Amino acid sequence: MTAFVHLHVRSEFSLKDSIVRVDPLVKASLAAGMPAVAVSDRMNLYALVKFYKSAQGKGIKPVFGADLVIREGDELCEVTVLVMNETGYSNLIRVISRAYIEGQELGEPQVQRRWLEEGGEGLIVLLGRRSDVGMALLGADAQQAVPRLARWLEHFPQCTYLEITRAGRDGDERHLHAAVSLADALQCPVVATNDVRFLSPEDFEAHEVRVCIAQSYVLADPKRPRDYTQEQYLKTPAQMAELFADIPEALANTVEIARRCTLNLTLGKNFLPDYPVPAGMTINEYFVQHSRERLEQRLAKILDPAAPDYAERRKMYADRLDFELGIINQMGFPGYFLIVMDFIRWAKQNGVPVGPGRGSGAGSLVAYALEITDLDPLPYDLLFERFLNPERVSMPDFDVDFCMDGRDRVIDYVANNYGREAVSQIITFGTMAAKAVVRDVARVQGKSYGLADKISKLIPFTPGISLEEARKEEPQLDELLSNPEFSDHEDALEIWEMALKLEGITRGVGKHAGGVLIAPGKLTDYTAVFCDEEGRWVSQYDKDDVEQVGLVKFDFLGLRTLTIIDWALKDINAKRARRGEP
């Protein structure tokens, strides 16, 4: 059997034009007998850690990359880059991050050509029909393709390939023959891809619906762009061998590229930011000393030295503190406690109301001593083991409530203190949930608004409920979909079947309500970033993935209740002051 590896696959995390889910992609590649598969989403690395974990667990070699939008002057083109090694991974993170930080045009990130040329070590470049070379080959002056390809070969020697595709699109065959001729002339290898956007031919209609949802078209609109064909599915090596029987080297080069691309991620190792400690002390020593000193200050207020049980109670606190300090140091988390202590102390000193603490963190005496929380755990028999347990190694996680109005000031303090390039918020992914996907599908299919509204309202409001669960829970919904006597039964069933295919697909990005990352150095040494509307950095890995790559999440939760209490106190105190009351 001819060996072949798909090197140009977009996943659902491209957000607009793919319905390929990561786990099914890996399973399908394995079932087709492929040794590896690549994911190259458009201008992002959202899926990278999820893809890595999925592939590693199933015995498929993951190849990482991205489709980059390249700008030079007034010209835009698109190239696919694949990561060969750790250097290439670092460079790709920096290039994509820079596109979001410096290169946005009308909200769309773009990579300046020189950025890629200056920082392209460790990357393989695939030049397809949407590249500057491909557009020249399909344009009026095909000779422009020669100097354009020569420039890529100069900056990416031995790492430039002309990508050829037979997906049934207008211009595919013309581009292929022109690219093969150009490759022969300039001694540039060619590589076959299928520009995959869905896994099987049956998924084409679902893919078109997804594209129409993103582009705000309806399927029947004769003016809507039709950029994709039914052939852009995950074909087997045998199908690709038949398709490119006249260019076997294009198939062999896919395996060669996959062999050249090897990236091993270090997952599960934590990288805490540095907390400054006095000269001559380790962070563990300082943490123990500081915690004991701060506990003494707490005990001076809550214990009566004249009480008959003073010595006994003091020993209880000292023993509990030593127990907790031992576990925290053993697990390597003193820096985490000190950093949380630092920004909470700053908030209290700068007029930002802070909550007293909640969740399992309230069971820590160390947290109480350091004024992270204001709840003494001993009188209430709160267990420290619920917060940190050596037998269940996980990062500590304090949920810290700040006044809604002051929360951003605290984040700004952290960014100024630890470095603007070391701090970001965390991405979240919005998916096509049950109610929304029904409405979206109905609109794209041209069904009546009334029917879409009817089906959507029959879906219970249970958070996270799936369409299948909704059908089981709601008899009226099941009857509408099961009984052909209803006048709108067929339309309802058509909406439902398509909604089932798209349910749960990633449709957009947002920010975690409270999560903030603090890296020990540049954040882009660990994750790519994008920028929100206000220009603040947001990680491209979600909260689970950033923890996998070792970054530590701190929860800065904005609580409106604290804001209202603060307003009330200020108002009351102002009135008392005017009346001369203390």
Side-chain angles (χ1 to χ4, degrees):
M1 184 179 75
T2 303
F4 172 79
V5 172
H6 279 287
L7 295 176
H8 196 172
V9 181
R10 284 192 185 177
S11 81
E12 60 176 308
F13 290 94
S14 283
L15 302 182
K16 295 180 179 178
D17 61 357
S18 173
I19 59 170
V20 175
R21 304 178 204 240
V22 171
D23 282 344
L25 167 66
V26 173
K27 290 175 183 174
S29 301
L30 188 64
M34 287 181 275
V37 66
V39 166
S40 57
D41 285 319
R42 188 177 190 271
M43 289 302 295
N44 74 67
L45 298 175
Y46 300 155
L48 189 142
V49 176
K50 300 178 195 305
F51 176 44
Y52 181 83
K53 289 170 65 180
S54 179
Q56 292 287 88
K58 296 178 179 67
I60 285 278
K61 182 179 182 180
V63 178
F64 308 101
D67 289 348
L68 301 182
V69 177
I70 306 292
R71 172 176 285 279
E72 186 168 42
D74 294 329
E75 291 190 5
L76 285 176
C77 68
E78 198 171 291
V79 303
T80 300
V81 296
L82 301 175
V83 170
M84 293 173 62
N85 48 38
E86 288 187 8
T87 302
Y89 175 53
S90 298
N91 282 332
L92 183 56
I93 284 178
R94 292 189 184 102
V95 164
I96 289 178
S97 299
R98 193 172 180 184
Y100 282 92
I101 297 166
E102 301 178 32
Q104 292 202 47
E105 292 280 342
L106 300 175
E108 291 293 324
Q110 297 167 1
V111 174
Q112 292 292 331
R113 174 78 175 262
R114 68 178 186 278
W115 299 347
L116 189 60
E117 291 177 345
E118 292 166 0
E121 184 184 352
L123 296 174
I124 287 175
V125 179
L126 309 185
L127 303 172
R129 55 178 288 170
R130 292 188 293 271
S131 69
D132 58 336
V133 176
M135 290 190 293
L137 291 174
L138 291 173
D141 186 5
Q143 285 304 308
Q144 288 184 5
V146 175
R148 290 183 178 185
L149 178 56
R151 180 177 170 185
W152 284 106
L153 289 168
E154 177 188 351
H155 286 94
F156 294 88
Q158 311 301 316
C159 294
T160 300
Y161 292 77
L162 283 176
E163 176 188 0
I164 54 177
T165 308
R166 279 174 167 155
R169 296 169 298 191
D170 290 342
D172 268 3
E173 204 63 26
R174 186 158 64 93
H175 170 263
L176 181 145
H177 291 294
V180 169
S181 297
L182 179 64
D184 286 341
L186 271 68
Q187 295 299 296
C188 175
V190 295
V191 60
T193 75
N194 204 42
D195 201 4
V196 175
R197 305 302 167 92
F198 42 95
L199 293 181
S200 67
E202 295 77 29
D203 293 332
F204 176 63
E205 187 180 353
H207 172 265
E208 290 295 276
V209 170
R210 196 246 162 91
V211 171
C212 285
I213 290 171
Q215 295 178 342
S216 299
Y217 282 99
V218 296
L219 279 172
D221 188 344
K223 296 180 181 178
R224 76 174 176 88
R226 285 170 167 79
D227 299 324
Y228 310 96
T229 71
Q230 196 168 356
E231 298 300 314
Q232 288 179 259
Y233 66 94
L234 194 79
K235 294 186 175 180
T236 65
Q239 289 172 313
M240 293 299 291
E242 182 180 352
L243 201 58
F244 288 92
D246 54 335
I247 317 173
E249 65 271 23
L251 301 171
N253 283 336
T254 66
V255 180
E256 173 63 17
I257 289 172
R259 186 191 63 78
R260 295 177 66 188
C261 294
T262 301
L263 176 66
N264 292 312
L265 297 179
T266 301
L267 300 182
K269 181 181 178 183
N270 296 316
F271 298 96
L272 279 161
D274 295 325
Y275 184 85
V277 298
M281 296 185 76
T282 66
I283 192 166
N284 287 17
E285 291 169 347
Y286 175 74
F287 178 58
V288 169
Q289 175 186 306
H290 193 63
S291 299
R292 286 175 177 163
E293 290 172 354
R294 299 304 292 268
L295 180 64
E296 288 299 324
Q297 295 175 24
R298 285 285 201 185
L299 294 181
K301 296 177 181 178
I302 63 174
L303 294 185
D304 180 6
D309 61 347
Y310 173 73
E312 181 184 346
R313 293 186 64 193
R314 182 182 174 83
K315 186 176 186 304
M316 282 174 52
Y317 280 94
D319 290 346
R320 172 68 173 260
L321 187 77
D322 288 343
F323 167 74
E324 291 189 15
L325 290 172
I327 290 177
I328 294 167
N329 279 335
Q330 174 192 333
M331 297 180 73
F333 297 141
Y336 178 88
F337 279 77
L338 291 170
I339 290 165
V340 175
M341 174 200 73
D342 175 55
F343 63 70
I344 288 179
R345 182 185 298 169
W346 183 90
K348 290 176 177 177
Q349 291 173 348
N350 287 271
V352 178
V354 183
R358 59 185 169 96
S360 58
S364 169
L365 183 64
V366 170
Y368 176 64
L370 296 177
E371 297 183 9
I372 292 171
T373 64
D374 287 317
L375 184 69
D376 181 354
L378 267 64
Y380 305 101
D381 295 327
L382 300 181
L383 298 175
F384 176 71
E385 290 83 349
R386 284 199 59 220
F387 182 59
L388 271 186
N389 191 332
E391 296 177 6
R392 182 180 51 83
V393 178
S394 61
M395 283 299 299
D397 187 14
F398 285 111
D399 292 326
V400 185
D401 294 317
F402 294 103
C403 156
M404 187 71 80
D405 289 349
R407 173 179 175 268
D408 287 346
R409 288 173 54 207
V410 184
I411 294 174
D412 283 340
Y413 163 74
V414 169
N416 291 330
N417 198 39
Y418 294 95
R420 288 277 169 188
E421 295 186 343
V423 176
S424 83
Q425 293 182 263
I426 302 171
I427 198 170
T428 57
F429 298 112
T431 59
M432 295 190 184
K435 284 178 174 287
V437 74
V438 164
R439 292 182 183 275
D440 285 335
V441 166
R443 179 186 61 77
V444 166
Q445 290 180 338
K447 308 299 186 193
S448 73
Y449 173 81
L451 178 58
D453 189 56
K454 179 180 179 180
I455 298 173
S456 181
K457 285 180 176 176
L458 285 173
I459 297 171
F461 281 98
T462 309
I465 193 170
S466 70
L467 290 171
E468 290 290 4
E469 289 168 348
R471 185 170 182 176
K472 290 176 184 175
E473 286 186 23
E474 180 50 62
Q476 291 183 46
L477 179 60
D478 184 55
E479 189 177 7
L480 175 63
L481 298 170
S482 304
N483 190 346
E485 293 183 6
F486 282 100
S487 60
D488 46 12
H489 165 75
E490 288 188 9
D491 283 348
L493 203 57
E494 194 175 337
I495 293 170
W496 190 260
E497 288 174 352
M498 182 56 69
L500 284 172
K501 291 183 179 180
L502 294 178
E503 182 185 16
I505 287 281
T506 304
R507 70 178 302 163
V509 298
K511 287 186 299 185
H512 190 282
V516 173
L517 297 175
I518 306 176
K522 278 191 174 183
L523 197 72
T524 49
D525 290 340
Y526 303 91
T527 173
V529 299
F530 78 96
C531 291
D532 65 11
E533 302 80 9
E534 298 170 353
R536 287 199 172 119
W537 287 20
V538 183
S539 68
Q540 290 198 12
Y541 300 156
D542 67 17
K543 67 181 182 65
D544 296 324
D545 292 348
V546 291
E547 288 181 0
Q548 285 291 315
V549 298
L551 290 173
V552 182
K553 173 175 73 75
F554 298 83
D555 284 326
F556 291 63
L557 305 173
L559 197 63
R560 178 65 63 188
T561 309
L562 285 173
T563 308
I564 294 169
I565 291 172
D566 187 47
W567 290 345
L569 284 172
K570 287 177 179 175
D571 186 55
I572 292 166
N573 289 334
K575 288 177 179 176
R576 290 173 67 89
R578 285 197 299 271
R579 293 198 295 262
E581 298 176 9

